Amino acid sequence: MMKKLASVGLTVPPGDSTLLEDVLRNIGDRDLGHRAPYTRELVEWLCDQGCDIVSAVQSGLFSLGRTHHLPEWVMGLVEKQELCWLAAEAISMGESLDDIDSLIERTGMDLAKIRARNGLSLLQTAAANNRSDCVEWLVSVKGCDPEEKDDAGDSTMHRTWGIWRWRL
């Protein structure tokens, strides 16, 4: 199903959680029967596209005054998102690389998919916060791509030009 959506060019604006809110609202505590695998696949795909599941759960369900009981896997995605944000905040706050690594490992996610609240990758977050130690570690140890582009089309190299030196 997700391959079909991607093949027709469906994209979700970064940070827009409207569609995700609608999907979660329809999950509720009903038995989805045969649709359950597709619903989970859709929610995971939307999260991969940059939808904010934490905000979607909060505004999509609780602001309506509903008392849905969301499946455990949805709450697991919420926890992963919050850990991603903590990892990005740890970079911004100058925390140690060991602490950042611990948070990254706890997410259990592909490093390239981890995003800060503002949509930046961890590498872009490190560059934006002049964390040359973290940038070097993310590239050389963790394998991040320094040519990764942000939503404006700028690579991490654009962001860090003049801030740190590459060791070739």
Side-chain angles (χ1 to χ4, degrees):
M1 181 167 123
M2 298 310 105
K3 288 179 185 176
K4 287 181 184 178
L5 292 174
S7 70
V8 296
L10 176 67
T11 58
V12 179
D16 182 10
S17 298
T18 309
L19 181 57
L20 185 56
E21 288 175 22
D22 290 340
V23 173
L24 291 176
R25 192 176 299 116
N26 289 320
I27 290 175
D29 52 3
R30 296 182 297 148
D31 183 330
L32 296 172
H34 68 283
R35 294 184 314 193
Y38 297 110
T39 302
R40 182 174 183 161
E41 187 179 3
L42 178 59
V43 169
E44 290 172 347
W45 183 80
L46 288 168
C47 290
D48 285 346
Q49 299 305 305
C51 288
D52 176 0
I53 192 164
V54 176
S55 296
V57 167
Q58 291 172 347
S59 65
L61 299 176
F62 299 114
S63 67
L64 296 173
R66 293 183 167 174
T67 56
H68 284 286
H69 294 92
L70 292 171
E72 195 172 304
W73 60 266
V74 171
M75 297 317 293
L77 290 173
V78 169
E79 182 179 344
K80 281 184 181 183
Q81 180 64 61
E82 290 172 337
L83 285 170
C84 292
W85 290 346
L86 285 174
E89 288 171 14
I91 291 170
S92 299
M93 300 298 290
E95 298 292 332
S96 74
L97 297 179
D98 288 337
D99 290 343
I100 295 164
D101 191 38
S102 174
L103 288 167
I104 291 169
E105 294 302 318
R106 286 178 52 201
T107 68
M109 293 176 62
D110 177 8
L111 190 59
K113 292 183 179 180
I114 297 176
R115 295 282 182 257
R117 288 180 198 261
N118 60 7
L120 295 179
S121 71
L122 294 184
L123 184 60
Q124 293 162 345
T125 300
N129 286 281
N130 298 326
R131 290 286 310 268
S132 59
D133 62 327
C134 192
V135 169
E136 186 173 348
W137 173 74
L138 285 167
V139 172
S140 62
V141 176
K142 297 306 247 179
C144 288
D145 179 10
E147 292 301 320
E148 172 187 46
K149 306 262 191 247
D150 63 15
D151 293 336
D154 293 329
S155 71
T156 303
M157 292 295 288
H158 286 112
R159 290 178 172 276
T160 60
W161 187 80
I163 296 173
W164 56 281
R165 294 179 187 87
W166 278 95
R167 295 183 194 160
L168 299 175

